[in-house]
Amino acid sequence: MSTIEKVVWTNTARNQLKSIYNYYKEKSIQGANNVKNDILASTKKIHFVEQYQKDEIEPEYRRIIVRDYKILYKEENRVVYIARIFSTKRDSVK
């Protein structure tokens, strides 16, 4: 079990988080902040690679489920890369 040195967000994941925030901001700034903070907090809790399940659709990634969002990440040389975030409510083929 290897411990993680740091977590890095890809541009794709960062842009997806921004889109999620903007979607909720239309309804409530506090709600948008809550969702964003929950997602960010979950990624800060990754301490070792095997902590979360492998994704069933893309097994090269591990996943964290936060609210209605799936966060996909992978590890290389003790660095976790947050790859993508997407809603679990929509069709997973998209």
Side-chain angles (χ1 to χ4, degrees), residues 2 5-6 12 14 16 19 22 26 29 31 35 37 39 43 45 49 51 54-55 58 63 72 87-88 94:
S2 62
E5 291 181 6
K6 67 180 181 175
T12 298
R14 199 173 302 144
Q16 289 168 330
S19 294
N22 288 335
E26 296 291 318
I29 289 178
V35 171
N37 291 337
I39 290 171
T43 63
K45 293 178 184 173
V49 178
Q51 187 168 339
K54 284 188 177 182
D55 188 60
E58 299 183 63
R63 70 166 186 253
L72 296 181
S87 173
T88 58
K94 291 183 181 175

Side-chain angles (χ1 to χ4, degrees), residues 52-56 62-65 70-73:
Y52 295 99
Q53 296 176 324
K54 284 188 177 182
D55 188 60
E56 68 281 354
R62 295 204 171 255
R63 70 166 186 253
I64 307 170
I65 305 294
K70 183 189 291 190
I71 303 162
L72 296 181
Y73 72 91

Side-chain angles (χ1 to χ4, degrees), residues 26-38:
E26 296 291 318
K27 299 171 185 158
S28 158
I29 289 178
Q30 184 61 53
N33 284 328
N34 290 344
V35 171
K36 180 184 82 171
N37 291 337
D38 287 352

